[in-house]
Amino acid sequence: MVTFYRRLPKMGYVKPGSLEEALELLEKNPNGRYRVYAGGTDVIPKLKGRVIQSPEILVDLKGVSDLDHIDFDEQKGLYIGALATVRSVETSPVIKERYPILSQAAGSIASIQVRNRGTITGNICNAVPSADSAPALLCLDARVLLYSKNGGERTVDITDFFKGPGLTVLQPNEILREINISASPENSRSVYIKLSPRSRMDLAVVGVGVLLTKTNGTFRNVRIGLGAVAPTPIRALKAEAMLEGSEVNDDLIINAARTASEESRPIDDHRASAEYRKMMVEVLVKRAIHQCL
Amino acid sequence: MEEYSVIGKRIPRVDGRVKVTGEARYAADYSMPGMLWCKMLRSPYPHARIVSIDTSRAEKLPGVKGVLTGKDFNGWTWGWMPKTRDEPPLAVDKVRYLAEAVAAVAAIDEDTAEEATELIKVEYEELPGVFDPEEAMKEGAPRVHDYVKNNLSWDFHMDFGDVDKGFGEADLVREDRFETGRVITGYLEPPAAVALWDSGGITIWAAKQSPYFVYRHLAACFNLPLNKVRIIQPFIGAGFGGTKNDSLAGDFCSVLFSKRTGRPVKFVYNMHEVLMTCRRRHNMIIHNKMGMKKDGIITAMQSKVIADGGAYTAIGPLTMYLTGSISTLPYKLPHFRHDAYRIFTNNPIGAAMRGHGVTHTRFAAEIQMEMMAEELGIDPIEVRLKNAITAPYETINKVTVHTCGLKEGLKTLSENPKWKKRSGGSPPEGPLSHGVGISGTAYLGGARQRGHQSCGAVVRLCEDGTIDYLTGATDCGQGSDTVLVQIVAEELGLGVEDVDIKRVDTAVTPCDAGSYGSRVTVLAGGAARNAARDVKRQLAEVAARNWEVDPGDIIFKDQRVYVKGEPEKAMPFRKLAQVACYAGSGAVIIGRGYSQYGIEELDFDKGIGNAGTSYSFTSQLTEVDVDLETGFVKCTDMVIAHDCGRPLNPINVEAQNQGGAIQGMGQAMYERFAMDLGKTLNANLADYKMPLSTDVPNIELIDIITDDPNGPYGAKEASEGSTVSSPPSVVSAIHDATGIWFKEQPVTPEKIVMALKKKRE
Amino acid sequence: MAMKKIKFVLNGETCEWEVKPWRTLLEMLREDFQLTGTKEGCGEGECGSCTVIMGGKTVNSCLVPAVEADGQEILTIEGLAHGENLHPVQEAFVEKAGMQCGFCTPGMIMSAKALLDENPEPSENEIREGIAGNFCRCTGYTKIFESIQAAAEAMKGGK
Ligand SMILES: Cc1cc2nc3c(=O)[nH]c(=O)nc-3n(C[C@H](O)[C@H](O)[C@H](O)COP(=O)(O)OP(=O)(O)OC[C@H]3O[C@@H](n4cnc5c(N)ncnc54)[C@H](O)[C@@H]3O)c2cc1C
Ligand code: FES
Ligand code: FES
């Protein structure tokens, strides 16, 4: 049967006032009775389209105070609270200055209206392969802090966070509290390039993030993050290794870009063929590296 | 030329204010006490027999007030012509495309209606489907309609001159296969309506671009006389042909629900539903053959068109007619043959869209002509100038052109500094390659179809000198209301603020064929002028009696009336209105007018004669930057030289050219439905990519004024012209940048990269 | 499921209301408050026709649960004009023909207003970016850019 729904399914709504309260709810959460959300820009359309199972109760995290922070400290680095919106990350002066790749990635998402509501945390918890913030966070060696009831707390490297399309290591009783990024290496440069047919309000056909430092003519701290070319956002580890510690030269860059393309495992879909995506990884990795030099 | 006071002026739209305040009401903005909501249940298969439908569980759901299935319409079907009535309001024994409506629910609110659709049980027997028109034409292919052999929905053949002779005379003959795309009209407002059936018959507030189509459909479906069917026209969130020109399952079902329940019934489609099920532009495969002399003169053209018609006929016959009958413009064709086949498939229905029919074959012919010119070493503008018609002209199939600004437009563009920036094959700098492209096309205005083709207008004088103006023509947003008001004001020497346009209400407004084929300004405009002149004549008689002069000497200007050459004999318009209305008994002043065009020979079956009242000509230059590594195209600039006869409102004409050109650009660069076995894979506005603010070029506009004798004040059409000129111009520019001719729309980044790769190999 | 009591400021007036938790802000505005100026094009964040300003920021009201209006200040297209006096952005859209069918217009004007509040002298590029979440099929955008530029001009001097 096909019904084109315009309305949300019937469900309840709670807005816990603290993280503990929210975690308490999730502790007794059989069959996804509760579903947390932040901006709702992923959850609401999916619920309307009956793409995901409707929870009995939507848990609005926005009642939790002190979760929308973007804090920077020279020692500890950057902390992005679970409720920090994509727009606030995009426009944050410190992120623009210290982590331009993240600001660019955030700015490439959807529209201002969506960025005003959506969060970076929601973007990675939603875990689509094309999530624009993911390649940036991969390049930045981000760590995510997951909380559960009674002080349960664990830190997961972003490289271990994604498990498959729409899947992460998050347990049903956990909430991602914040994202932490170390102070990026001195003189590092970074860039995120999103390829999509339209320049706005479009999903990445390929997303490429590169971060590196050029020290005495050699590549250091090289990170290459790729989006939309594998079941999860990935790092191009072999390509990184080729560059790391090597002298900067054009042939090497071309080879590394080709290697990154080989590391990608894209699929054919209505947005692009796997072949095109692989070719674009090569083109964009090369471009991104050049832009970082 | 006569000096006008309102016509030709940059007058802001008459509906501007209500639209910027949110006051303008569209169909979905209407609601009534006691109103029910109607929701469709649709088929999960593109081709299946309906074995049984069990609605009992849905009927029992609290809040549900009724359920309908195909049988409730007693076998009634509808279509564009008597012999093509093949579409039922709800599928009866078979579904022919994915998500065709099979049942409908009415309930006290939309949530309940949606929930109830899930409780309807339909048993289907899936049938093999056919999705590719070329496959569907083959012997033994599954039949979409059991009685139609080889799935031939409609065919159409034109043969003028002797093409073989023409090809024989040519120095160069080319044959190419072109394909246009599956494109949606793209209106932002999803179809919606509120229907009410009471003792007065049917009243429906519906988002309809041509309400008089639906008026006839509803009367026929429910066996009512026309005076019991009332369509009240809300503001329309754009149409662009197809769906909003026609009736929908939702219209029929909400009317029938209202009949059964006595309550008003509303439906609103959602955007997925629109993109999955609504009428779209036909996908067409065009095999084009052209002959050319060494000097660039075209000797003959032959086209074979295969169109994916989808599951039903709809307006398809007209589409196919237009693919051929207008091919003989704007370049001279001494010999022309055209064979068009519209084929049924289990895809959503192909129908009209801005640039109807013409955009497909014009694209093929334009690109092929330029490919041949390139082979012969002739400049793209030169080849067009050599072949372009000049007015007056009669084509080989008796299309008569009285005015034509094509050559002037092309010459203007050839002198534009942007044209000098053509790469002509010079190598790019870095990955970015710059290209400039051109096109020169024609479109009809004041379309004439079969059946009732007139427009009417009534101008009613109020005793205080203000005017009620009634028209059956719908402004679906493109600004015709403003132009029509200008015309009435001009004739009566009034300001636009003195004239109030009454939007369509079929109970009171005069019948009109509809807002398609760029007919409103040309035909409804003519009607408006005639109706206003009728009022003027009546008023002039009163004034003439008053001053004892000849009625022909009475002048209406600047809200005043006076006698030519005797300025002391003058009074305000308002005063004359009062005198006229109160003079004698029964003095009610009403003017009436209808559109007039010469009734000439029009042979629909052979493609002979004028499908339009007049023809617009558009020359377009487009500049692009192509990233040769990613295939990404940025369209940076367009220059459009447009001959619309005379712009009656320059702001509107500019707006039409801009909007039309961007729609054409979308079709050339981004837009296509990705299909798999009848399923639209990208039925949302992120994946079906229409241009956004960040994608559009700067557009420079040039008016070529030709003053057509058949339009009011010299006007021809504006807006469909640039939808037709844009795709070939964009593709020509991409060719200039890449050296590759793309024959299939849209030219996506991936296609560019793959073609460049192939060229290198 | 229990109705939720909410209190918020709508176009300058304080409202107390009860909503079902599965209602969107768009539905509440259009159906409960009859503020039908805000339109629904896609219902899923892609077209911007439902744009309203909530807490000073533009949002797609089709994606916002109505309960979230609680404690917020909400501005819709109906709240822009002061009596007969149109907001300069509205004025400019009329003058420069920034609309055709008008269905995108309320959302477009809300985005334009938010843009100009934040950036009173936007470049053409900034205007393009500022309304990239508002789809318009009719205009091809050129006249919308001109309208917003004209509004910026008119608003100079803190009108
Ligand atoms: C029109 C449109 C266009 C879009 N374009 C893009 C685009 O270009 N690029 C892109 O990357 N994305 C895009 N998105 C997706 C979306 O906007 C982003 O993923 C956004 O960042 C999600 O954030 P949110 O807060 O709205 O997520 P929500 O919808 O609130 O949540 C998303 C998921 O994360 C979970 N979740 C949220 N917060 C937490 C938490 N703290 N702990 C545990 N789980 C949590 C939720 O349960 C849910 O499963 C688009 C969305 C729309 C509607
Ligand atoms: S209706 Fe909300 S963004 Fe389209
Ligand atoms: S004016 Fe029609 S969509 Fe913008």
Side-chain angles (χ1 to χ4, degrees):
Chain A
M1 301 318 128
V2 182
T3 301
F4 292 93
Y5 297 90
R6 296 176 67 242
R7 306 283 176 161
L8 280 167
K10 290 182 181 153
M11 57 194 172
Y13 168 92
V14 291
K15 191 174 182 182
S18 68
L19 197 59
E20 291 67 40
E21 226 178 283
L23 291 168
E24 181 75 40
L25 290 174
L26 293 191
E27 206 55 40
K28 35 182 174 40
N29 193 12
N31 308 321
R33 180 159 184 241
Y34 295 97
R35 177 152 199 144
V36 298
Y37 79 99
T41 61
D42 276 316
V43 164
I44 299 290
K46 281 189 190 152
L47 286 171
K48 273 197 189 173
R50 309 301 193 267
V51 178
I52 52 171
Q53 196 209 329
S54 160
E56 267 174 57
I57 295 180
L58 265 183
V59 181
D60 183 354
L61 287 178
K62 289 188 291 298
V64 178
S65 53
D66 298 335
L67 267 192
D68 60 356
H69 56 276
I70 296 174
D71 291 335
F72 179 73
D73 177 302
E74 291 288 353
Q75 255 73 54
K76 295 188 194 144
L78 181 72
Y79 286 87
I80 301 174
L83 292 174
T85 62
V86 177
R87 182 77 168 155
S88 64
V89 168
E90 170 197 355
T91 53
S92 150
V94 60
I95 295 180
K96 267 192 192 160
E97 189 199 324
R98 302 273 179 152
Y99 310 94
I101 185 174
L102 186 56
S103 160
Q104 288 164 11
S108 78
I109 291 175
S111 61
I112 295 178
Q113 293 95 314
V114 170
R115 302 202 290 278
N116 278 338
R117 290 276 297 171
T119 60
I120 293 291
T121 298
N123 193 236
I124 59 172
C125 291
N126 190 49
V128 293
S130 64
D132 282 305
S133 70
L137 294 172
L138 282 165
C139 288
L140 293 167
D141 293 330
R143 288 171 300 278
V144 296
L145 278 56
L146 310 183
Y147 279 47
S148 52
K149 205 190 141 193
N150 296 333
E153 184 185 335
R154 60 181 178 134
T155 302
V156 178
D157 278 343
I158 190 79
T159 39
D160 301 325
F161 182 71
F162 301 110
K163 284 291 156 208
L167 293 175
T168 67
V169 299
L170 262 172
Q171 295 301 306
N173 66 340
E174 284 181 316
I175 287 177
L176 196 163
R177 190 179 180 282
E178 59 186 357
I179 300 170
N180 172 228
I181 302 169
S182 313
S184 41
E186 283 285 309
N187 305 324
S188 73
R189 304 194 50 175
S190 62
V191 64
Y192 177 69
I193 305 179
K194 173 176 180 171
L195 189 77
S196 54
R198 283 191 311 203
S199 47
R200 285 285 171 263
M201 185 51 86
D202 210 344
L203 302 177
V205 169
V206 174
V208 169
V210 165
L211 179 145
L212 56 81
T213 322
K214 193 172 130 187
T215 327
N216 303 328
T218 57
F219 287 112
R220 294 277 177 215
N221 308 309
V222 182
R223 297 287 181 275
I224 301 173
L226 305 177
V229 292
T232 65
I234 55 167
R235 291 240 317 255
L237 294 169
K238 288 187 192 139
E240 289 176 7
M242 282 177 77
L243 296 171
E244 189 66 42
S246 304
E247 224 168 273
V248 173
N249 79 59
D250 281 355
D251 286 345
L252 181 65
I253 294 172
I254 289 168
N255 280 333
R258 191 163 304 142
T259 304
S261 161
E262 283 159 12
E263 288 179 79
S264 67
R265 289 167 286 135
I267 52 162
D268 284 317
D269 66 12
H270 64 81
R271 296 197 185 112
S273 69
E275 187 188 358
Y276 176 70
R277 285 190 160 109
K278 266 186 173 295
M279 290 167 77
M280 289 309 103
V281 171
E282 184 173 340
V283 169
L284 298 182
V285 167
K286 188 181 74 184
R287 261 187 210 181
I289 293 172
H290 279 291
Q291 286 181 25
C292 289
L293 291 176
Chain B
M1 205 209 86
E2 224 177 308
E3 197 38 55
Y4 297 120
S5 38
V6 187
I7 289 294
K9 298 284 177 313
R10 302 181 70 84
I11 290 181
R13 301 174 62 107
V14 294
D15 52 2
R17 195 181 167 97
V18 292
K19 284 181 173 171
V20 299
T21 55
E23 185 191 323
R25 287 217 282 170
Y26 298 74
D29 301 340
Y30 286 78
S31 56
M32 285 173 207
M35 186 177 79
L36 303 177
W37 281 82
C38 165
K39 191 77 192 177
M40 299 297 136
L41 174 71
R42 295 176 175 276
S43 157
Y45 302 109
H47 198 195
R49 206 162 291 289
I50 300 173
V51 179
S52 65
I53 306 183
D54 179 357
T55 59
S56 56
R57 280 179 66 214
E59 278 157 20
K60 286 191 202 108
L61 185 76
V64 170
K65 299 291 171 192
V67 181
L68 296 174
T69 68
K71 297 211 167 61
D72 290 293
F73 292 94
N74 305 318
W76 185 79
T77 52
W78 57 291
W80 184 67
M81 342 173 27
K83 57 176 163 177
T84 64
R85 288 185 186 144
D86 55 13
E87 197 172 354
L90 292 174
V92 183
D93 11 80
K94 213 165 113 159
V95 290
R96 296 186 173 83
Y97 65 98
L98 187 88
E100 180 170 0
V102 286
V105 175
I108 50 163
D109 55 36
E110 199 176 19
D111 305 67
T112 310
E114 288 183 347
E115 199 182 326
T117 59
E118 296 169 30
L119 302 176
I120 299 173
K121 215 175 138 222
V122 188
E123 200 186 319
Y124 295 96
E125 178 196 326
E126 213 185 332
L127 299 169
V130 61
F131 307 103
D132 173 340
E134 286 173 312
E135 288 299 316
M137 290 170 87
K138 287 184 185 155
E139 216 54 58
R143 285 191 184 185
V144 178
H145 295 269
D146 296 339
Y147 60 91
V148 181
K149 226 178 136 239
N150 298 334
N151 292 307
L152 180 66
S153 153
W154 194 263
D155 63 336
F156 177 83
H157 305 277
M158 286 171 68
D159 197 354
F160 300 101
D162 178 349
V163 282
D164 292 329
K165 182 164 168 271
F167 291 130
E169 290 162 3
D171 296 310
L172 177 64
V173 177
R174 257 199 92 100
E175 288 183 61
D176 293 281
R177 180 188 185 279
F178 296 88
E179 195 169 346
T180 56
R182 300 169 200 281
V183 174
I184 194 79
T185 47
Y187 49 73
L188 182 52
E189 176 207 25
V194 179
L196 176 67
W197 186 305
D198 58 17
S199 56
I202 298 168
T203 307
I204 183 166
W205 291 260
K208 295 298 170 194
Q209 168 179 350
S210 297
Y212 288 90
F213 280 29
V214 184
Y215 165 75
R216 297 187 180 105
H217 293 157
L218 292 178
C221 179
F222 296 102
N223 206 8
L224 286 176
L226 284 171
N227 64 359
K228 295 288 180 207
V229 178
R230 183 170 182 194
I231 318 263
I232 298 179
Q233 185 70 86
F235 283 96
I236 307 299
F240 308 118
T243 301
K244 286 195 188 163
N245 242 345
D246 246 327
S247 299
L248 289 163
D251 300 321
F252 296 111
C253 293
S254 38
V255 168
L256 185 50
F257 277 133
S258 181
K259 180 180 183 188
R260 291 193 178 172
T261 60
R263 295 165 71 161
V265 181
K266 175 172 182 170
F267 79 90
V268 181
Y269 281 5
N270 86 2
M271 196 49 89
H272 280 279
E273 201 166 15
V274 169
L275 297 174
M276 288 276 276
T277 72
C278 286
R279 283 150 162 59
R280 40 182 76 180
R281 211 198 263 302
H282 290 77
N283 184 55
M284 290 195 197
I285 296 160
I286 301 147
H287 296 278
N288 221 57
K289 183 174 176 185
M290 192 181 277
M292 202 178 261
K293 289 267 201 200
K294 273 201 195 90
D295 61 0
I297 298 293
I298 299 170
T299 59
M301 185 165 90
Q302 181 172 357
S303 316
K304 180 181 170 193
V305 177
I306 298 169
D308 183 351
Y312 295 100
T313 308
I315 201 170
L318 180 64
T319 315
M320 301 324 286
Y321 171 79
L322 290 171
T323 61
S325 74
I326 308 296
S327 278
T328 49
L329 288 179
Y331 302 103
K332 287 176 222 155
L333 281 186
H335 308 283
F336 174 53
R337 182 169 163 171
H338 187 79
D339 298 284
Y341 304 86
R342 184 180 190 274
I343 305 298
F344 286 128
T345 63
N346 295 112
N347 285 323
I349 302 153
M353 180 178 162
R354 202 186 211 177
H356 193 190
V358 177
T359 174
H360 311 265
T361 38
R362 191 73 256 143
F363 170 71
E366 278 284 291
I367 298 299
Q368 196 171 45
M369 174 171 62
E370 208 176 313
M371 290 169 92
M372 295 174 77
E374 189 182 51
E375 274 184 60
L376 295 168
I378 304 171
D379 174 86
I381 292 189
E382 191 57 37
V383 74
R384 287 177 169 84
L385 284 173
K386 279 194 163 165
N387 291 288
I389 62 156
T390 38
Y393 189 79
E394 184 177 83
T395 70
I396 190 162
N397 61 331
K398 295 199 164 34
V399 173
T400 48
V401 175
H402 299 287
T403 54
C404 173
L406 182 65
K407 279 194 177 171
E408 192 184 335
L410 286 167
K411 281 184 195 144
T412 312
L413 295 185
S414 72
E415 284 150 23
N416 192 297
K418 294 195 166 91
W419 182 245
K420 309 264 158 22
K421 290 201 284 177
R422 248 172 81 80
S423 91
S426 61
E429 281 174 36
L432 270 199
S433 180
H434 179 257
V436 183
I438 192 91
S439 67
T441 62
Y443 199 76
L444 67 150
R448 303 195 260 146
Q449 302 185 353
R450 327 185 107 184
H452 179 256
Q453 276 311 314
S454 303
C455 294
V458 173
V459 171
R460 283 197 311 229
L461 179 71
C462 302
E463 63 191 34
D464 64 354
T466 59
I467 301 291
D468 280 330
Y469 161 52
L470 282 73
T471 173
T474 297
D475 186 343
C476 10
Q478 278 48 63
S480 60
D481 278 0
T482 305
V483 170
L484 297 179
V485 164
Q486 279 178 267
I487 290 174
V488 173
E490 179 69 45
E491 286 299 328
L492 294 170
L494 298 174
V496 286
E497 63 284 0
D498 299 319
V499 180
D500 193 59
I501 184 165
K502 308 298 178 193
R503 298 175 63 79
V504 178
D505 175 344
T506 60
V508 292
T509 48
C511 191
D512 184 281
S515 299
Y516 53 80
S518 286
R519 62 194 300 292
V520 181
T521 297
V522 176
L523 299 181
R529 183 190 55 191
N530 295 344
R533 284 184 180 167
D534 189 10
V535 166
K536 192 156 108 175
R537 180 186 53 74
Q538 296 173 51
L539 286 175
E541 276 169 17
V542 175
R545 239 179 289 138
N546 189 52
W547 285 312
E548 295 178 346
V549 295
D550 186 70
D553 288 335
I554 306 290
I555 310 272
F556 292 73
K557 207 171 166 58
D558 300 333
Q559 282 141 324
R560 294 183 61 75
V561 184
Y562 55 87
V563 179
K564 196 155 100 191
E566 295 180 65
E568 72 287 356
K569 289 184 179 159
M571 68 173 112
F573 182 88
R574 142 192 196 113
K575 175 83 184 149
L576 176 62
Q578 208 176 39
V579 171
C581 287
Y582 294 166
S585 62
V588 172
I589 299 204
I590 296 177
R592 58 182 197 114
Y594 56 90
S595 53
Q596 281 163 301
Y597 45 81
I599 305 286
E600 308 156 41
E601 180 189 15
L602 176 64
D603 183 333
F604 185 73
D605 297 318
K606 295 208 181 76
I608 299 172
N610 283 303
T613 307
S614 52
Y615 301 87
S616 77
F617 297 89
T618 316
S619 317
Q620 179 173 340
L621 178 156
T622 302
E623 276 190 283
V624 297
D625 284 327
V626 181
D627 183 327
L628 298 176
E629 289 180 342
T630 62
F632 190 95
V633 179
K634 172 81 193 145
C635 182
T636 58
D637 287 88
M638 287 179 180
V639 187
I640 300 171
H642 182 66
D643 159 23
C644 72
R646 170 167 297 274
L648 304 191
N649 183 329
I651 313 184
N652 269 10
V653 170
E654 288 158 16
Q656 287 318 294
N657 280 321
Q658 290 160 346
I662 296 309
Q663 210 167 19
M665 179 191 98
Q667 172 179 326
M669 287 172 52
Y670 305 109
E671 295 178 37
R672 71 172 184 130
F673 281 120
M675 303 292 297
D676 182 33
L677 302 179
K679 179 167 191 202
T680 304
L681 301 175
N682 55 341
N684 62 68
L685 295 183
D687 281 327
Y688 182 88
K689 298 172 202 306
M690 294 186 269
L692 294 173
S693 55
T694 38
D695 303 314
V696 300
N698 298 313
I699 305 176
E700 184 186 330
L701 300 166
I702 299 160
D703 287 323
I704 309 287
I705 310 245
T706 56
D707 283 319
D708 196 87
N710 289 326
Y713 317 96
K716 303 193 281 189
E717 82 88 36
S719 107
E720 299 204 70
S722 61
T723 310
V724 176
S725 62
S726 223
S729 177
V730 168
V731 172
S732 160
I734 294 175
H735 166 262
D736 187 42
T738 61
I740 295 171
W741 283 112
F742 291 90
K743 296 184 245 174
E744 286 170 18
Q745 297 175 26
V747 186
T748 59
E750 174 160 353
K751 278 189 196 159
I752 293 176
V753 166
M754 294 306 176
L756 286 167
K757 183 174 167 223
K758 205 166 145 209
K759 190 174 150 192
R760 277 194 305 269
E761 279 164 2
Chain C
M1 267 154 275
M3 301 279 274
K4 295 276 168 191
K5 275 203 165 78
I6 57 174
K7 189 173 167 184
F8 59 104
V9 178
L10 177 56
N11 294 333
E13 274 180 46
T14 304
C15 304
E16 287 184 44
W17 200 248
E18 282 198 358
V19 284
K20 293 177 184 137
W22 62 90
R23 277 277 164 275
T24 63
L25 175 58
L26 176 63
E27 289 161 348
M28 179 176 79
L29 292 170
R30 289 178 51 83
E31 292 167 10
D32 298 350
F33 291 86
Q34 293 299 311
L35 294 176
T36 54
T38 308
K39 303 298 178 208
E40 174 161 5
C42 68
E44 53 182 32
E46 289 150 358
C47 75
S49 56
C50 64
T51 303
V52 301
I53 297 181
M54 181 163 103
K57 296 196 162 72
T58 53
V59 298
N60 302 110
S61 62
C62 69
L63 296 185
V64 178
V67 282
E68 286 199 38
D70 193 34
Q72 295 277 5
E73 214 170 293
I74 289 166
L75 184 68
T76 73
I77 188 73
E78 289 89 350
L80 273 194
H82 290 289
E84 284 292 290
N85 296 330
L86 296 182
H87 185 277
V89 177
Q90 292 172 310
E91 199 87 63
F93 269 69
V94 174
E95 208 49 46
K96 297 281 175 191
M99 101 296 293
Q100 289 186 30
C101 80
F103 203 79
C104 69
T105 310
M108 193 68 81
I109 289 180
M110 297 316 280
S111 281
K113 180 200 184 286
L115 168 72
L116 295 179
D117 286 348
E118 214 176 274
N119 179 0
E121 286 178 56
S123 64
E124 186 187 301
N125 249 349
E126 287 166 335
I127 292 175
R128 286 173 183 254
E129 289 287 337
I131 58 165
N134 294 79
F135 168 66
C136 173
R137 185 59 152 178
C138 301
T139 62
Y141 304 97
T142 304
K143 296 215 179 285
I144 296 178
F145 303 153
E146 289 166 10
S147 302
I148 299 175
Q149 266 150 356
E153 201 57 42
M155 284 162 80
K156 261 189 205 162
K159 193 176 160 189

